[in-house]
Amino acid sequence: MTARTLNSALITALLTVSGAVQAGSGHGDGFATRARVLASTPAYETINEPRRECWTETVGYETRSHREGGAGGAVLGAIAGGLIGSTVGKGDGRVAAAAVGAATGAVVGDRMQQGGTRYESVPQQVERCQTHDSFREVISGYDVRYRFDGREYSTRLPYDPGKWLTLNVSFSVAEDQRGGRWRNSRNDWND
């Protein structure tokens, strides 16, 4: 045998063993096949995305009062009362009358000015908010019916598979087979 033939035989053997090891790892006795999809129906889920809506509203009036002129009425009243009081009496009585007139004029002038108080109504603004539910439907998956080996099956998938579905088929020996006999049209044994 030549070296070239020996090398070719070794490479072929290694590739064959490598393929068998890869085929056997993780899948056991199994294969991939295709199954015909009979129906694919979207499955919906309802989700809520609430939204908040706010606005400004007038709820009432706030009353404010303003006095016009400050102490001007009392000052003017004191001056007028002092002048009028100084015209009454003689000597020291005139000074006393002017003082009493000034005090009385200040009180009268202040009271007259209070009649000048102005009231103002100002609208009061309040922010109001309300949350509204906003429901919408989203596709959560697809309910798929398919036929394999003459039987119908169903599953839910996260995508629409189209006309064909690829299946990983694997076999394992059923547990405890001692209890019953099994008969199938493919084999006619009934031990």
Side-chain angles (χ1 to χ4, degrees):
M1 196 180 257
T2 66
R4 180 174 255 177
T5 307
L6 184 60
N7 284 340
S8 295
L10 282 174
I11 290 173
T12 304
L14 286 173
L15 288 174
T16 304
V17 170
S18 154
V21 167
Q22 286 181 356
S25 64
H27 295 297
D29 293 331
F31 59 93
T33 188
R34 290 179 8 146
R36 180 75 169 142
V37 172
L38 303 173
S40 177
T41 308
Y44 292 94
E45 176 183 354
T46 302
I47 61 170
N48 184 13
E49 294 174 336
R51 58 182 167 78
R52 189 172 182 195
E53 190 176 285
C54 295
W55 65 94
T56 303
E57 192 175 279
T58 302
V59 293
Y61 291 91
E62 179 183 346
T63 304
R64 298 179 186 160
S65 62
H66 298 286
R67 283 186 76 185
E68 296 178 356
V75 171
L76 286 176
I79 292 171
L83 288 174
I84 293 172
S86 66
T87 60
V88 177
K90 295 185 180 178
D92 289 332
R94 196 181 270 186
V95 174
V100 170
T104 304
V107 171
V108 171
D110 185 51
R111 287 201 179 149
M112 286 179 67
Q113 186 178 7
Q114 283 184 2
T117 301
R118 186 172 57 114
Y119 294 97
E120 178 182 26
S121 293
V122 179
Q124 199 171 21
Q125 302 292 321
V126 175
E127 183 180 53
R128 305 252 188 222
C129 293
Q130 189 173 20
T131 301
H132 297 283
D133 289 329
S134 178
F135 293 100
R136 66 184 182 102
E137 301 278 319
V138 294
I139 295 177
S140 61
Y142 290 84
D143 290 330
V144 178
R145 282 188 316 116
Y146 61 95
R147 183 180 309 274
F148 175 71
D149 197 26
R151 295 176 70 190
E152 284 189 21
Y153 299 92
S154 63
T155 187
R156 179 168 282 188
L157 297 174
Y159 57 90
D160 186 359
K163 292 181 179 181
W164 295 94
L165 185 63
T166 302
L167 301 175
N168 289 323
V169 180
S170 63
F171 301 99
S172 63
V173 176
E175 298 293 322
D176 196 11
Q177 299 179 23
R178 294 173 286 179
R181 303 284 186 219
W182 184 64
R183 183 174 177 89
N184 187 339
S185 63
R186 292 186 181 170
N187 55 13
D188 247 357
W189 55 274
N190 193 9
D191 296 332

